[in-house]
Structure formats: C-alpha cells, structure tokens
Short mmCIF file of all heavy atoms in Angstrom, two decimals:
data_model
loop_
_atom_site.label_atom_id
_atom_site.label_comp_id
_atom_site.label_asym_id
_atom_site.label_seq_id
_atom_site.Cartn_x
_atom_site.Cartn_y
_atom_site.Cartn_z
N MET A 126 -19.62 1.30 2.36
CA MET A 126 -18.99 2.31 3.11
C MET A 126 -17.98 2.98 2.04
O MET A 126 -17.26 2.14 1.40
CB MET A 126 -18.08 1.85 4.17
CG MET A 126 -17.62 2.98 4.92
SD MET A 126 -16.76 2.35 6.50
CE MET A 126 -15.10 2.79 6.34
N LYS A 127 -17.94 4.22 1.93
CA LYS A 127 -17.14 4.93 0.99
C LYS A 127 -15.81 5.24 1.68
O LYS A 127 -15.74 5.65 2.71
CB LYS A 127 -17.89 6.21 0.44
CG LYS A 127 -17.08 6.88 -0.65
CD LYS A 127 -17.89 7.97 -1.27
CE LYS A 127 -17.23 8.60 -2.37
NZ LYS A 127 -17.83 9.68 -2.97
N ALA A 128 -14.78 5.15 0.80
CA ALA A 128 -13.49 5.31 1.21
C ALA A 128 -13.25 6.81 1.51
O ALA A 128 -13.49 7.62 0.62
CB ALA A 128 -12.41 4.71 0.22
N LYS A 129 -12.54 7.00 2.61
CA LYS A 129 -12.24 8.51 2.86
C LYS A 129 -11.01 8.96 2.05
O LYS A 129 -10.94 10.14 1.76
CB LYS A 129 -11.80 8.67 4.35
CG LYS A 129 -13.01 8.52 5.19
CD LYS A 129 -12.74 8.91 6.59
CE LYS A 129 -11.75 8.06 7.44
NZ LYS A 129 -11.80 8.45 8.89
N TYR A 130 -10.02 8.07 1.72
CA TYR A 130 -8.89 8.44 1.09
C TYR A 130 -8.58 7.74 -0.30
O TYR A 130 -9.08 6.55 -0.34
CB TYR A 130 -7.66 8.12 1.99
CG TYR A 130 -7.67 8.81 3.33
CD1 TYR A 130 -8.05 8.01 4.41
CD2 TYR A 130 -7.24 10.04 3.38
CE1 TYR A 130 -8.11 8.64 5.65
CE2 TYR A 130 -7.37 10.71 4.68
CZ TYR A 130 -7.75 10.03 5.81
OH TYR A 130 -7.73 10.61 7.03
N ARG A 131 -8.01 8.35 -1.24
CA ARG A 131 -7.81 7.73 -2.51
C ARG A 131 -6.40 7.74 -2.82
O ARG A 131 -5.59 8.68 -2.36
CB ARG A 131 -8.50 8.52 -3.61
CG ARG A 131 -9.99 8.43 -3.34
CD ARG A 131 -10.68 9.02 -4.56
NE ARG A 131 -10.38 8.59 -5.81
CZ ARG A 131 -11.27 7.85 -6.52
NH1 ARG A 131 -12.46 7.76 -6.21
NH2 ARG A 131 -10.92 7.32 -7.71
N ALA A 132 -5.87 6.69 -3.49
CA ALA A 132 -4.54 6.55 -3.99
C ALA A 132 -4.30 7.32 -5.23
O ALA A 132 -5.16 7.27 -6.13
CB ALA A 132 -4.06 5.18 -4.15
N LYS A 133 -3.31 8.18 -5.36
CA LYS A 133 -2.99 9.07 -6.45
C LYS A 133 -1.97 8.29 -7.29
O LYS A 133 -0.95 7.94 -6.81
CB LYS A 133 -2.46 10.44 -6.11
CG LYS A 133 -2.19 11.21 -7.42
CD LYS A 133 -1.66 12.63 -6.96
CE LYS A 133 -1.47 13.35 -8.25
NZ LYS A 133 -0.87 14.75 -7.99
N ARG A 134 -2.29 7.90 -8.53
CA ARG A 134 -1.40 7.28 -9.45
C ARG A 134 -0.27 8.21 -9.82
O ARG A 134 -0.47 9.15 -10.47
CB ARG A 134 -2.08 6.60 -10.69
CG ARG A 134 -1.30 5.88 -11.46
CD ARG A 134 -1.95 5.09 -12.41
NE ARG A 134 -1.12 4.31 -13.35
CZ ARG A 134 -1.31 3.76 -14.45
NH1 ARG A 134 -2.51 4.05 -14.96
NH2 ARG A 134 -0.52 3.18 -15.14
N ILE A 135 1.06 7.66 -9.78
CA ILE A 135 2.14 8.51 -10.20
C ILE A 135 2.55 7.93 -11.52
O ILE A 135 2.82 8.64 -12.45
CB ILE A 135 3.30 8.40 -9.19
CG1 ILE A 135 2.90 8.85 -7.79
CG2 ILE A 135 4.52 9.14 -9.55
CD1 ILE A 135 2.43 10.27 -7.70
N SER A 136 2.71 6.64 -11.63
CA SER A 136 2.96 5.86 -12.92
C SER A 136 2.50 4.48 -12.71
O SER A 136 2.05 4.14 -11.63
CB SER A 136 4.45 5.94 -13.22
OG SER A 136 5.28 5.32 -12.19
N ALA A 137 2.78 3.63 -13.78
CA ALA A 137 2.35 2.24 -13.62
C ALA A 137 3.08 1.63 -12.39
O ALA A 137 4.31 1.47 -12.31
CB ALA A 137 2.74 1.54 -14.89
N GLY A 138 2.21 1.15 -11.42
CA GLY A 138 2.76 0.35 -10.26
C GLY A 138 3.31 1.30 -9.18
O GLY A 138 3.81 0.80 -8.25
N HIS A 139 3.04 2.67 -9.22
CA HIS A 139 3.54 3.59 -8.26
C HIS A 139 2.41 4.55 -7.93
O HIS A 139 1.86 5.20 -8.78
CB HIS A 139 4.67 4.43 -8.79
CG HIS A 139 5.93 3.71 -8.88
ND1 HIS A 139 6.17 2.83 -9.99
CD2 HIS A 139 7.08 3.64 -8.17
CE1 HIS A 139 7.38 2.27 -9.93
NE2 HIS A 139 7.89 2.70 -8.71
N TYR A 140 2.15 4.59 -6.66
CA TYR A 140 0.99 5.35 -6.17
C TYR A 140 1.42 6.17 -4.75
O TYR A 140 2.44 5.82 -4.23
CB TYR A 140 -0.19 4.48 -5.76
CG TYR A 140 -0.86 3.82 -6.79
CD1 TYR A 140 -0.32 2.64 -7.27
CD2 TYR A 140 -2.09 4.33 -7.40
CE1 TYR A 140 -1.05 1.94 -8.42
CE2 TYR A 140 -2.55 3.75 -8.40
CZ TYR A 140 -2.02 2.52 -8.91
OH TYR A 140 -2.71 1.82 -9.95
N ILE A 141 0.71 7.18 -4.53
CA ILE A 141 0.97 8.01 -3.30
C ILE A 141 -0.31 7.80 -2.60
O ILE A 141 -1.42 8.15 -3.03
CB ILE A 141 1.28 9.50 -3.49
CG1 ILE A 141 2.54 9.65 -4.20
CG2 ILE A 141 1.29 10.13 -2.22
CD1 ILE A 141 3.76 9.25 -3.38
N TYR A 142 -0.27 7.30 -1.34
CA TYR A 142 -1.40 7.11 -0.45
C TYR A 142 -1.15 7.56 0.99
O TYR A 142 -0.26 6.99 1.59
CB TYR A 142 -1.90 5.68 -0.39
CG TYR A 142 -3.11 5.38 0.35
CD1 TYR A 142 -4.28 5.71 -0.17
CD2 TYR A 142 -3.10 4.66 1.50
CE1 TYR A 142 -5.48 5.45 0.57
CE2 TYR A 142 -4.25 4.53 2.21
CZ TYR A 142 -5.46 4.94 1.69
OH TYR A 142 -6.50 4.68 2.37
N ARG A 143 -1.85 8.51 1.42
CA ARG A 143 -1.73 9.09 2.79
C ARG A 143 -0.26 9.41 3.14
O ARG A 143 0.17 9.17 4.28
CB ARG A 143 -2.42 8.23 3.86
CG ARG A 143 -3.87 8.14 3.70
CD ARG A 143 -4.54 7.27 4.69
NE ARG A 143 -4.56 8.01 5.99
CZ ARG A 143 -5.21 7.66 6.98
NH1 ARG A 143 -5.76 6.44 6.97
NH2 ARG A 143 -5.28 8.33 8.08
N GLY A 144 0.47 9.90 2.23
CA GLY A 144 1.88 10.31 2.59
C GLY A 144 2.91 9.24 2.32
O GLY A 144 4.08 9.37 2.41
N PHE A 145 2.45 8.02 1.95
CA PHE A 145 3.32 6.93 1.66
C PHE A 145 3.44 6.48 0.28
O PHE A 145 2.54 6.59 -0.46
CB PHE A 145 2.82 5.61 2.44
CG PHE A 145 2.92 5.82 3.90
CD1 PHE A 145 1.92 6.09 4.73
CD2 PHE A 145 4.14 5.50 4.55
CE1 PHE A 145 1.89 6.20 5.94
CE2 PHE A 145 4.22 5.56 5.92
CZ PHE A 145 3.04 6.01 6.68
N GLU A 146 4.54 6.18 -0.23
CA GLU A 146 4.69 5.74 -1.74
C GLU A 146 4.34 4.31 -1.70
O GLU A 146 5.11 3.49 -0.90
CB GLU A 146 6.15 6.13 -2.27
CG GLU A 146 6.28 5.62 -3.67
CD GLU A 146 7.65 5.96 -4.20
OE1 GLU A 146 8.56 6.54 -3.33
OE2 GLU A 146 7.91 5.52 -5.22
N VAL A 147 3.57 3.92 -2.56
CA VAL A 147 3.00 2.58 -2.56
C VAL A 147 3.55 2.02 -3.93
O VAL A 147 3.13 2.54 -4.93
CB VAL A 147 1.52 2.18 -2.42
CG1 VAL A 147 1.13 0.80 -2.40
CG2 VAL A 147 0.94 2.87 -1.15
N VAL A 148 4.34 0.87 -3.93
CA VAL A 148 4.97 0.52 -5.17
C VAL A 148 4.73 -1.02 -5.30
O VAL A 148 4.67 -1.77 -4.33
CB VAL A 148 6.50 0.74 -5.25
CG1 VAL A 148 6.69 2.19 -5.33
CG2 VAL A 148 7.20 0.05 -4.11
N SER A 149 4.54 -1.54 -6.75
CA SER A 149 4.58 -2.72 -6.98
C SER A 149 6.01 -3.34 -6.96
O SER A 149 6.78 -2.86 -7.69
CB SER A 149 3.89 -3.03 -8.26
OG SER A 149 4.01 -4.32 -8.78
N VAL A 150 6.26 -4.38 -6.04
CA VAL A 150 7.73 -4.77 -6.04
C VAL A 150 7.88 -5.95 -6.87
O VAL A 150 9.01 -6.60 -6.88
CB VAL A 150 8.14 -5.14 -4.47
CG1 VAL A 150 8.14 -3.77 -3.78
CG2 VAL A 150 7.15 -6.04 -3.97
N GLY A 151 6.95 -6.58 -7.56
CA GLY A 151 7.00 -7.67 -8.37
C GLY A 151 6.04 -8.87 -8.08
O GLY A 151 5.37 -8.84 -7.21
N TYR A 152 6.20 -9.85 -8.98
CA TYR A 152 5.35 -11.05 -8.87
C TYR A 152 5.96 -12.10 -7.95
O TYR A 152 7.17 -12.26 -7.92
CB TYR A 152 5.39 -11.74 -10.36
CG TYR A 152 4.49 -12.82 -10.54
CD1 TYR A 152 3.09 -12.65 -10.40
CD2 TYR A 152 4.95 -14.12 -10.47
CE1 TYR A 152 2.35 -13.73 -10.54
CE2 TYR A 152 4.09 -15.32 -10.64
CZ TYR A 152 2.81 -15.15 -10.63
OH TYR A 152 1.94 -16.16 -10.73
N TYR A 153 5.17 -12.58 -7.15
CA TYR A 153 5.54 -13.62 -6.10
C TYR A 153 4.89 -14.93 -6.53
O TYR A 153 3.83 -15.20 -6.37
CB TYR A 153 5.02 -13.13 -4.70
CG TYR A 153 5.45 -14.08 -3.50
CD1 TYR A 153 6.78 -14.16 -3.34
CD2 TYR A 153 4.42 -14.72 -2.76
CE1 TYR A 153 7.08 -15.09 -2.24
CE2 TYR A 153 4.87 -15.55 -1.77
CZ TYR A 153 6.14 -15.66 -1.54
OH TYR A 153 6.64 -16.45 -0.43
N HIS A 154 5.93 -15.73 -7.14
CA HIS A 154 5.37 -16.90 -7.65
C HIS A 154 4.80 -17.95 -6.85
O HIS A 154 3.64 -18.49 -7.24
CB HIS A 154 6.62 -17.68 -8.43
CG HIS A 154 6.14 -18.76 -9.31
ND1 HIS A 154 5.46 -18.65 -10.39
CD2 HIS A 154 6.37 -20.21 -9.08
CE1 HIS A 154 5.25 -19.84 -10.91
NE2 HIS A 154 5.82 -20.77 -9.98
N PRO A 155 5.15 -18.22 -5.67
CA PRO A 155 4.46 -19.18 -4.79
C PRO A 155 2.98 -18.91 -4.54
O PRO A 155 2.06 -19.74 -4.44
CB PRO A 155 5.26 -19.16 -3.52
CG PRO A 155 6.53 -18.65 -3.93
CD PRO A 155 6.28 -17.68 -4.90
N GLU A 156 2.61 -17.60 -4.37
CA GLU A 156 1.23 -17.15 -4.18
C GLU A 156 0.55 -16.78 -5.53
O GLU A 156 -0.67 -16.50 -5.53
CB GLU A 156 1.23 -15.99 -3.31
CG GLU A 156 1.74 -16.22 -1.88
CD GLU A 156 0.81 -17.14 -1.08
OE1 GLU A 156 -0.46 -17.13 -1.20
OE2 GLU A 156 1.26 -17.98 -0.12
N HIS A 157 1.26 -16.74 -6.62
CA HIS A 157 0.67 -16.27 -7.91
C HIS A 157 -0.02 -14.98 -7.93
O HIS A 157 -1.12 -14.79 -8.32
CB HIS A 157 -0.24 -17.46 -8.40
CG HIS A 157 0.43 -18.74 -8.56
ND1 HIS A 157 1.27 -19.06 -9.52
CD2 HIS A 157 0.24 -19.85 -7.73
CE1 HIS A 157 1.68 -20.40 -9.52
NE2 HIS A 157 1.10 -20.80 -8.33
N CYS A 158 0.68 -14.10 -7.32
CA CYS A 158 0.22 -12.58 -7.16
C CYS A 158 1.31 -11.66 -7.33
O CYS A 158 2.34 -11.91 -7.01
CB CYS A 158 -0.83 -12.54 -6.05
SG CYS A 158 0.05 -12.71 -4.52
N VAL A 159 0.95 -10.38 -7.36
CA VAL A 159 1.88 -9.27 -7.30
C VAL A 159 2.00 -8.68 -6.01
O VAL A 159 0.96 -8.63 -5.20
CB VAL A 159 1.47 -8.15 -8.31
CG1 VAL A 159 2.33 -6.99 -8.05
CG2 VAL A 159 1.31 -8.69 -9.73
N CYS A 160 3.18 -8.46 -5.40
CA CYS A 160 3.37 -7.95 -4.03
C CYS A 160 3.55 -6.44 -4.07
O CYS A 160 3.97 -5.86 -5.18
CB CYS A 160 4.62 -8.50 -3.50
SG CYS A 160 4.54 -10.30 -3.24
N TRP A 161 2.92 -5.80 -3.15
CA TRP A 161 2.88 -4.31 -2.96
C TRP A 161 3.61 -3.95 -1.55
O TRP A 161 3.56 -4.73 -0.63
CB TRP A 161 1.63 -3.72 -2.95
CG TRP A 161 0.98 -3.94 -4.28
CD1 TRP A 161 0.18 -5.07 -4.76
CD2 TRP A 161 0.73 -2.94 -5.26
NE1 TRP A 161 -0.16 -4.88 -5.93
CE2 TRP A 161 -0.01 -3.60 -6.37
CE3 TRP A 161 1.19 -1.72 -5.47
CZ2 TRP A 161 -0.24 -2.95 -7.64
CZ3 TRP A 161 0.99 -1.01 -6.63
CH2 TRP A 161 0.25 -1.64 -7.66
N GLU A 162 4.29 -2.74 -1.69
CA GLU A 162 4.93 -2.28 -0.34
C GLU A 162 4.83 -0.87 -0.28
O GLU A 162 4.86 -0.12 -1.33
CB GLU A 162 6.56 -2.65 -0.54
CG GLU A 162 7.26 -2.23 0.62
CD GLU A 162 8.63 -2.57 0.49
OE1 GLU A 162 9.35 -2.36 -0.48
OE2 GLU A 162 9.22 -3.12 1.45
N ALA A 163 4.47 -0.44 0.90
CA ALA A 163 4.47 1.06 1.21
C ALA A 163 5.78 1.46 1.80
O ALA A 163 6.34 0.85 2.65
CB ALA A 163 3.26 1.28 2.33
N ILE A 164 6.25 2.57 1.23
CA ILE A 164 7.58 3.14 1.69
C ILE A 164 7.34 4.41 2.30
O ILE A 164 6.60 5.35 1.83
CB ILE A 164 8.46 3.26 0.42
CG1 ILE A 164 8.63 1.89 -0.17
CG2 ILE A 164 9.85 3.85 0.80
CD1 ILE A 164 9.40 2.00 -1.56
N ASP A 165 7.91 4.50 3.55
CA ASP A 165 7.79 6.01 4.38
C ASP A 165 8.82 6.81 3.80
O ASP A 165 9.59 6.66 2.88
CB ASP A 165 7.86 5.60 5.74
CG ASP A 165 9.25 5.15 6.32
OD1 ASP A 165 10.09 5.08 5.53
OD2 ASP A 165 9.38 4.77 7.46
N SER A 166 8.81 8.00 4.54
CA SER A 166 9.61 9.15 4.05
C SER A 166 11.14 8.85 4.22
O SER A 166 11.96 9.56 3.71
CB SER A 166 9.26 10.43 4.90
OG SER A 166 9.41 10.19 6.26
N ASN A 167 11.46 7.93 5.11
CA ASN A 167 12.84 7.57 5.42
C ASN A 167 13.37 6.39 4.39
O ASN A 167 14.44 5.99 4.41
CB ASN A 167 13.02 6.88 6.81
CG ASN A 167 12.76 7.95 7.94
OD1 ASN A 167 12.96 9.19 7.66
ND2 ASN A 167 12.22 7.54 8.97
N GLY A 168 12.48 5.90 3.58
CA GLY A 168 12.83 4.86 2.57
C GLY A 168 12.69 3.43 3.12
O GLY A 168 13.20 2.59 2.36
N CYS A 169 12.03 3.44 4.20
CA CYS A 169 11.85 1.99 4.79
C CYS A 169 10.53 1.46 4.43
O CYS A 169 9.54 2.17 4.32
CB CYS A 169 11.92 2.19 6.41
SG CYS A 169 13.55 2.66 6.94
N GLY A 170 10.44 0.14 4.21
CA GLY A 170 9.20 -0.64 4.04
C GLY A 170 8.38 -0.58 5.14
O GLY A 170 8.74 -0.69 6.26
N PHE A 171 7.07 -0.18 4.98
CA PHE A 171 6.17 0.13 6.05
C PHE A 171 5.07 -0.93 6.07
O PHE A 171 4.78 -1.56 7.10
CB PHE A 171 5.61 1.45 5.91
CG PHE A 171 4.54 1.80 6.86
CD1 PHE A 171 4.71 1.96 8.16
CD2 PHE A 171 3.24 1.81 6.41
CE1 PHE A 171 3.62 2.34 9.10
CE2 PHE A 171 2.20 2.07 7.25
CZ PHE A 171 2.49 2.38 8.63
N ALA A 172 4.31 -1.23 4.96
CA ALA A 172 3.35 -2.26 4.90
C ALA A 172 3.56 -3.06 3.65
O ALA A 172 3.90 -2.55 2.67
CB ALA A 172 2.01 -1.48 4.94
N HIS A 173 3.23 -4.27 3.75
CA HIS A 173 3.39 -5.24 2.63
C HIS A 173 2.15 -6.09 2.43
O HIS A 173 1.58 -6.44 3.33
CB HIS A 173 4.53 -6.27 2.89
CG HIS A 173 5.80 -5.59 3.40
ND1 HIS A 173 6.80 -5.03 2.48
CD2 HIS A 173 6.30 -5.40 4.70
CE1 HIS A 173 7.72 -4.55 3.23
NE2 HIS A 173 7.47 -4.79 4.51
N GLY A 174 1.81 -6.14 1.19
CA GLY A 174 0.46 -6.81 0.87
C GLY A 174 0.51 -7.46 -0.53
O GLY A 174 1.44 -7.19 -1.29
N PHE A 175 -0.47 -8.24 -0.70
CA PHE A 175 -0.64 -8.92 -1.96
C PHE A 175 -1.53 -8.25 -2.99
O PHE A 175 -1.88 -8.72 -4.04
CB PHE A 175 -1.08 -10.42 -1.80
CG PHE A 175 -0.05 -11.34 -1.19
CD1 PHE A 175 -0.32 -12.00 0.01
CD2 PHE A 175 1.30 -11.46 -1.59
CE1 PHE A 175 0.71 -12.87 0.66
CE2 PHE A 175 2.05 -12.23 -1.24
CZ PHE A 175 1.87 -12.97 -0.06
N SER A 176 -2.07 -7.13 -2.64
CA SER A 176 -2.74 -6.28 -3.57
C SER A 176 -2.67 -4.84 -3.00
O SER A 176 -2.33 -4.60 -1.89
CB SER A 176 -4.25 -6.73 -3.44
OG SER A 176 -4.88 -6.41 -2.20
N LEU A 177 -2.99 -3.93 -3.91
CA LEU A 177 -2.99 -2.52 -3.49
C LEU A 177 -4.10 -2.15 -2.44
O LEU A 177 -3.68 -1.41 -1.58
CB LEU A 177 -3.31 -1.62 -4.81
CG LEU A 177 -3.34 -0.20 -4.57
CD1 LEU A 177 -2.04 0.42 -4.09
CD2 LEU A 177 -3.70 0.48 -5.81
N ALA A 178 -5.10 -2.90 -2.60
CA ALA A 178 -6.15 -2.64 -1.55
C ALA A 178 -5.73 -3.18 -0.15
O ALA A 178 -5.97 -2.41 0.94
CB ALA A 178 -7.46 -3.21 -1.93
N MET A 179 -5.05 -4.20 -0.18
CA MET A 179 -4.58 -4.80 1.10
C MET A 179 -3.63 -3.86 1.79
O MET A 179 -3.53 -3.61 2.96
CB MET A 179 -4.11 -6.13 0.88
CG MET A 179 -3.52 -6.83 2.28
SD MET A 179 -2.56 -8.37 2.09
CE MET A 179 -3.92 -9.41 1.49
N THR A 180 -2.66 -3.32 0.92
CA THR A 180 -1.69 -2.54 1.48
C THR A 180 -2.20 -1.13 1.98
O THR A 180 -1.79 -0.62 2.98
CB THR A 180 -0.60 -2.23 0.35
OG1 THR A 180 -0.09 -3.44 -0.20
CG2 THR A 180 0.55 -1.45 0.80
N LYS A 181 -3.14 -0.64 1.26
CA LYS A 181 -3.94 0.58 1.68
C LYS A 181 -4.59 0.28 3.01
O LYS A 181 -4.51 1.16 3.91
CB LYS A 181 -5.00 0.99 0.76
CG LYS A 181 -4.31 1.54 -0.53
CD LYS A 181 -5.31 1.89 -1.82
CE LYS A 181 -6.62 2.55 -1.39
NZ LYS A 181 -7.44 2.80 -2.54
N ARG A 182 -5.21 -0.84 3.12
CA ARG A 182 -5.87 -1.17 4.45
C ARG A 182 -4.95 -1.30 5.58
O ARG A 182 -5.16 -0.82 6.65
CB ARG A 182 -6.72 -2.47 4.13
CG ARG A 182 -7.66 -2.86 5.34
CD ARG A 182 -8.48 -4.06 5.17
NE ARG A 182 -7.90 -5.21 4.49
CZ ARG A 182 -8.29 -5.39 3.08
NH1 ARG A 182 -9.13 -4.83 2.49
NH2 ARG A 182 -7.67 -6.39 2.49
N LEU A 183 -3.76 -1.86 5.32
CA LEU A 183 -2.71 -1.95 6.32
C LEU A 183 -2.25 -0.51 6.73
O LEU A 183 -2.04 -0.20 7.99
CB LEU A 183 -1.53 -2.79 5.91
CG LEU A 183 -1.80 -4.15 5.67
CD1 LEU A 183 -0.75 -4.91 5.07
CD2 LEU A 183 -2.10 -4.90 7.09
N ILE A 184 -2.09 0.39 5.80
CA ILE A 184 -1.76 1.69 6.17
C ILE A 184 -2.66 2.39 6.91
O ILE A 184 -2.53 3.04 7.96
CB ILE A 184 -1.44 2.57 4.89
CG1 ILE A 184 -0.27 2.02 4.09
CG2 ILE A 184 -1.28 4.05 5.13
CD1 ILE A 184 -0.03 2.59 2.78
N ASP A 185 -4.09 2.24 6.50
CA ASP A 185 -5.12 2.92 7.26
C ASP A 185 -5.24 2.33 8.80
O ASP A 185 -5.40 3.15 9.71
CB ASP A 185 -6.65 2.59 6.65
CG ASP A 185 -6.60 3.33 5.40
OD1 ASP A 185 -6.02 4.41 5.21
OD2 ASP A 185 -7.38 2.85 4.54
N GLU A 186 -5.03 1.00 8.93
CA GLU A 186 -5.18 0.48 10.30
C GLU A 186 -3.89 1.09 11.09
O GLU A 186 -4.19 1.34 12.34
CB GLU A 186 -4.94 -1.02 10.20
CG GLU A 186 -6.18 -1.81 9.59
CD GLU A 186 -5.99 -3.26 9.52
OE1 GLU A 186 -4.80 -3.77 9.95
OE2 GLU A 186 -6.91 -3.92 8.95
N GLU A 187 -2.77 1.18 10.54
CA GLU A 187 -1.70 1.62 11.34
C GLU A 187 -1.86 3.22 11.71
O GLU A 187 -1.56 3.61 12.84
CB GLU A 187 -0.37 1.50 10.64
CG GLU A 187 0.77 1.82 11.41
CD GLU A 187 1.09 0.93 12.64
OE1 GLU A 187 0.62 -0.33 12.62
OE2 GLU A 187 1.63 1.32 13.64
N LEU A 188 -2.37 3.88 10.79
CA LEU A 188 -2.39 5.39 11.00
C LEU A 188 -3.64 5.79 11.85
O LEU A 188 -3.69 6.62 12.69
CB LEU A 188 -2.62 6.14 9.66
CG LEU A 188 -1.16 6.12 8.84
CD1 LEU A 188 -1.49 6.83 7.53
CD2 LEU A 188 -0.03 6.73 9.68
N ASP A 189 -4.67 5.02 11.63
CA ASP A 189 -5.98 5.33 12.51
C ASP A 189 -5.87 4.76 13.86
O ASP A 189 -6.44 5.29 14.76
CB ASP A 189 -7.12 4.65 11.83
CG ASP A 189 -7.53 5.33 10.52
OD1 ASP A 189 -6.98 6.42 10.21
OD2 ASP A 189 -8.15 4.70 9.63
N LYS A 190 -5.06 3.91 14.16
CA LYS A 190 -4.73 3.41 15.68
C LYS A 190 -4.06 4.49 16.41
O LYS A 190 -4.07 4.39 17.66
CB LYS A 190 -4.23 2.05 15.66
CG LYS A 190 -2.69 1.97 15.59
CD LYS A 190 -2.20 0.58 15.82
CE LYS A 190 -0.67 0.58 15.81
NZ LYS A 190 -0.24 -0.74 15.90
N GLU A 191 -3.37 5.33 15.81
CA GLU A 191 -2.62 6.34 16.53
C GLU A 191 -3.59 7.48 17.02
O GLU A 191 -3.26 8.26 17.89
CB GLU A 191 -1.46 6.91 15.61
CG GLU A 191 -0.52 5.94 15.29
CD GLU A 191 0.55 6.48 14.23
OE1 GLU A 191 0.34 7.65 13.83
OE2 GLU A 191 1.46 5.87 14.00
N ASP A 192 -4.67 7.61 16.43
CA ASP A 192 -5.62 8.77 16.79
C ASP A 192 -6.28 8.47 18.08
O ASP A 192 -6.32 7.50 18.78
CB ASP A 192 -6.83 8.82 15.84
CG ASP A 192 -6.35 9.32 14.41
OD1 ASP A 192 -5.22 9.87 14.48
OD2 ASP A 192 -7.00 9.15 13.47
#
C-alpha cells in the first residue's frame, strides 16, 4: 500500500507531517533508540514514538478516526 502523505524535511531531525512538526527529541538509552514527538500548533506534544514511521502512524490513526 502506498502512503497518502509524506513528511517534509525541514532540517536534520525536524519534519512537517500533516500540519504537525515532528522532531527527534533524543536518544532513549533503556530502549536503545531515538525518540520522536509530534508537536501541534499550540506547542503541545501530540504523539510519541520510537521511530519517525511510528510517530507518523500515530498521527494518521488520530486524524483518520475523526473522519
């Protein structure tokens, strides 16, 4: 299945995806991975994931359930 939406890269670790700024918040040592967070227009954390793809999927799930 081909993705309907694409993340636009702003800079290293910063993307815009479906109106949300998705940023890399740093390395999480217990899980040995980088954490990502989606920030809404108010500056609040919206979705948190251990990969960019996971964070994008959480955004899609939340926005698509409103339809």
Side-chain angles (χ1 to χ4, degrees):
M126 183 171 127
K127 189 171 182 177
K129 291 194 289 188
Y130 302 99
R131 295 182 61 112
K133 181 179 179 183
R134 183 176 180 192
I135 304 299
S136 64
H139 290 77
Y140 294 84
I141 297 291
Y142 183 73
R143 294 185 74 176
F145 294 95
E146 182 180 356
V147 181
V148 296
S149 170
V150 292
Y152 183 74
Y153 184 61
H154 186 70
E156 296 288 331
H157 302 289
C158 60
V159 176
C160 294
W161 292 82
E162 180 176 50
I164 301 170
D165 64 8
S166 60
N167 296 328
C169 299
F171 172 72
H173 312 278
F175 290 124
S176 69
L177 178 60
M179 179 188 290
T180 307
K181 287 170 44 178
R182 187 170 40 250
L183 292 170
I184 292 169
D185 288 338
E186 288 174 2
E187 188 66 29
L188 293 179
D189 292 343
K190 80 176 184 181
E191 293 176 0
D192 292 342

